[in-house]
Amino acid sequence: MEEKDISRAVIKRLPRYYRYLGELMEDGVERISSNELSGRMKVTASQIRQDLNNFGGFGQQGYGYNVKYLHSEIAKILGLDRTHNMIIVGAGNLGQALANYTQFEKQGFKIVGIFDVNPVMRGVSVRGIEIRMIDELPEFVKNNHVEIATLTLPKAKALDMAKLLVDVGVKAIWNFAHTDLNLFMPDDVIVENVHLSESLMRLSYNLSRFEKDHLQE
Amino acid sequence: MEEKDISRAVIKRLPRYYRYLGELMEDGVERISSNELSGRMKVTASQIRQDLNNFGGFGQQGYGYNVKYLHSEIAKILGLDRTHNMIIVGAGNLGQALANYTQFEKQGFKIVGIFDVNPVMRGVSVRGIEIRMIDELPEFVKNNHVEIATLTLPKAKALDMAKLLVDVGVKAIWNFAHTDLNLFMPDDVIVENVHLSESLMRLSYNLSRFEKDHLQE
């Protein structure tokens, strides 16, 4: 495949294409036209063609897209064609929920360790993965080629922990703490924030707006 | 406050302003200039002024913004000035983690019930909230003015459950299932999707891209 700059907007849409193509594969669909995919995804066919043209000409007139091929090409772009070792830091409810979620592993994100600061958690296992204390973290990260740390700690502890993680060689942080860690990290550290409260606020905004519109009718 | 159309881009940024203003209040800060806020949020001061001008003239030259007032005005816009009753449907790990998370309640999202389809969950309590079976759901929604349902069910069960929820009067769905429920819901139902896998894929993309750039240096 030719190297090419792909716009951020397209990149943002790729995981969704990947999910739909995966579902088509599960359903045994081998090829699909942009029109059919448009009907499923509620995106215009021309948008789909434009987006997928970024990855070279694997859509063919009268044939459509080869589902499996397109799925694997998008996987490569998203870095899903190899395994990423991941740890979870913060073994509270959310940390344990994420550890129990097997879907991530199917996509190549392998949870190799869980860490916490609370001594009562020492030795407890989640899905066969032992919870370790933070003092074991530096060596563990080195010995297990850990690339990604999922941070499910309270806001007050998140920044110091993130700095420690980066110091010991973690390259990316999946941050669930309610703070914009990316503002405090070196440029070469990837931070992806998941702010659940903000998602709920957008829902609440839409709910309020709808009720207002409804009252005015 | 004057009614005014506020762009989607501004609305998307509001929860972040709300969070920073809340932190300033916690720190006892009473007023802040757009320049100071710009330094904290890493957004340009002119962007901040432009965004906040949407809500009328509560920024004053030489004074800055009244933190508490601005916080409460944004709360009104986001619908956070009143309580929303919420249920969680799917009492697995993620559902229980969300039920245990007290922050939502502080923002006015009150978890009044938890539901599951698995009979072994019947009567189990999470943070004092009893897990109920789905057959109790219709009456519960009516009697408890439930507006929002958090859906933490596997993909295969999510759509049918969403339809049931809407039928019994739920107005908004906070969807954690890996499916675009909004495509199948009536227009007057608010759906906010949280696709954790897609967030992790964006992280993975950035990680791959960084490594590639790094290798080419």
Side-chain angles (χ1 to χ4, degrees):
Chain A
M1 205 183 73
E2 293 274 325
E3 279 293 334
K4 199 172 165 181
D5 271 337
I6 299 167
S7 80
R8 288 171 65 96
V10 177
I11 295 300
K12 235 186 143 178
R13 290 194 285 269
L14 278 190
R16 191 159 176 258
Y17 284 116
Y18 183 75
R19 177 157 51 90
Y20 276 83
L21 290 164
E23 288 172 5
L24 288 167
M25 280 168 68
E26 280 171 28
D27 295 346
V29 177
E30 287 180 12
R31 62 189 206 185
I32 191 160
S33 69
S34 51
N35 281 327
E36 286 169 291
L37 197 53
S38 162
R40 281 185 179 238
M41 294 183 68
K42 309 280 191 239
V43 174
T44 64
S46 79
Q47 163 105 78
I48 290 175
R49 284 193 295 267
Q50 210 178 320
D51 282 352
L52 301 183
N53 274 346
N54 281 292
F55 318 123
F58 34 67
Q60 284 167 40
Q61 196 121 38
Y63 175 86
Y65 296 99
N66 180 315
V67 172
K68 200 174 162 187
Y69 180 69
L70 191 49
H71 188 260
S72 76
E73 286 299 306
I74 293 179
K76 279 184 214 164
I77 294 160
L78 292 174
L80 305 177
D81 54 340
R82 62 180 186 85
T83 300
H84 299 276
N85 285 353
M86 179 159 93
I87 56 172
I88 292 175
V89 183
N93 293 295
L94 183 58
Q96 293 199 26
L98 295 174
N100 271 307
Y101 194 66
T102 54
Q103 185 66 29
F104 301 139
E105 221 141 280
K106 286 180 199 151
Q107 290 160 351
F109 302 96
K110 192 176 175 200
I111 297 165
V112 293
I114 308 173
F115 291 84
D116 205 285
V117 291
N118 188 345
V120 304
M121 302 298 263
R122 190 195 294 273
V124 174
S125 283
V126 180
R127 205 162 53 85
I129 309 161
E130 189 193 326
I131 299 176
R132 294 161 202 269
M133 295 294 104
I134 299 297
D135 56 356
E136 294 179 48
L137 197 145
E139 218 181 309
F140 188 92
V141 166
K142 275 167 210 154
N143 294 343
N144 292 277
H145 303 97
V146 173
E147 278 185 300
I148 305 170
T150 300
L151 211 51
T152 44
L153 282 177
K155 187 170 75 174
K157 290 177 183 169
L159 182 55
D160 284 345
M161 186 57 71
K163 285 177 177 167
L164 170 70
L165 288 162
V166 169
D167 282 347
V168 300
V170 166
K171 290 174 187 145
I173 295 175
W174 197 26
N175 174 43
F176 286 78
H178 288 171
T179 182
D180 298 324
L181 277 186
N182 47 312
L183 304 186
F184 307 100
M185 292 288 113
D187 283 345
D188 60 351
V189 174
I190 310 296
V191 177
E192 171 79 18
N193 291 312
V194 180
H195 291 318
L196 294 178
S197 289
E198 298 191 6
S199 168
L200 200 43
M201 286 180 197
R202 283 192 292 273
L203 178 149
S204 164
Y205 168 78
N206 286 318
L207 197 55
S208 297
R209 194 182 51 171
F210 175 76
E211 280 164 7
K212 208 179 279 171
D213 290 353
H214 201 72
L215 282 172
Q216 285 170 348
E217 270 165 18
Chain B
M1 204 182 76
E2 293 274 325
E3 280 292 334
K4 199 172 163 180
D5 271 338
I6 299 168
S7 81
R8 287 171 65 96
V10 177
I11 295 300
K12 234 185 145 179
R13 291 194 286 269
L14 279 190
R16 191 159 175 256
Y17 284 115
Y18 184 76
R19 177 158 52 89
Y20 276 82
L21 291 165
E23 288 173 6
L24 288 167
M25 280 169 68
E26 279 172 28
D27 295 345
V29 177
E30 287 180 11
R31 62 191 206 185
I32 192 160
S33 69
S34 51
N35 281 326
E36 286 169 290
L37 197 53
S38 162
R40 283 184 179 240
M41 295 183 67
K42 309 280 190 240
V43 174
T44 65
S46 79
Q47 163 104 79
I48 290 176
R49 283 192 295 269
Q50 210 177 320
D51 282 352
L52 300 184
N53 274 347
N54 281 292
F55 319 123
F58 35 67
Q60 285 166 40
Q61 196 120 37
Y63 176 87
Y65 296 98
N66 180 314
V67 171
K68 199 173 163 188
Y69 180 69
L70 191 50
H71 187 261
S72 75
E73 287 299 306
I74 293 178
K76 279 185 213 164
I77 294 160
L78 292 174
L80 305 176
D81 55 340
R82 63 181 187 84
T83 300
H84 299 276
N85 284 353
M86 180 158 95
I87 56 173
I88 292 175
V89 183
N93 292 295
L94 183 57
Q96 292 199 27
L98 295 174
N100 271 306
Y101 194 65
T102 53
Q103 186 65 30
F104 301 140
E105 221 142 279
K106 287 181 198 149
Q107 289 159 352
F109 302 96
K110 193 175 174 200
I111 298 165
V112 293
I114 307 173
F115 290 84
D116 205 284
V117 291
N118 187 346
V120 302
M121 303 297 262
R122 189 195 294 270
V124 174
S125 282
V126 181
R127 205 161 54 85
I129 308 161
E130 189 193 327
I131 299 175
R132 294 162 202 269
M133 295 294 104
I134 298 296
D135 57 357
E136 295 179 48
L137 198 144
E139 218 182 310
F140 187 92
V141 166
K142 275 167 210 153
N143 294 343
N144 293 276
H145 304 98
V146 173
E147 278 185 302
I148 304 170
T150 300
L151 211 52
T152 44
L153 283 178
K155 188 171 74 174
K157 290 177 182 169
L159 181 56
D160 283 345
M161 186 57 71
K163 286 178 177 165
L164 170 69
L165 287 163
V166 169
D167 281 347
V168 299
V170 166
K171 290 173 187 147
I173 295 175
W174 197 25
N175 174 43
F176 285 77
H178 289 171
T179 182
D180 299 323
L181 277 187
N182 47 311
L183 304 186
F184 307 99
M185 291 288 112
D187 284 345
D188 60 351
V189 175
I190 310 297
V191 177
E192 171 78 18
N193 291 313
V194 180
H195 292 318
L196 293 178
S197 289
E198 298 191 5
S199 169
L200 200 44
M201 286 181 195
R202 282 191 293 273
L203 178 149
S204 164
Y205 168 78
N206 285 318
L207 198 54
S208 298
R209 193 182 53 170
F210 175 77
E211 280 163 7
K212 207 178 281 172
D213 290 352
H214 200 73
L215 282 173
Q216 286 169 349
E217 271 165 19

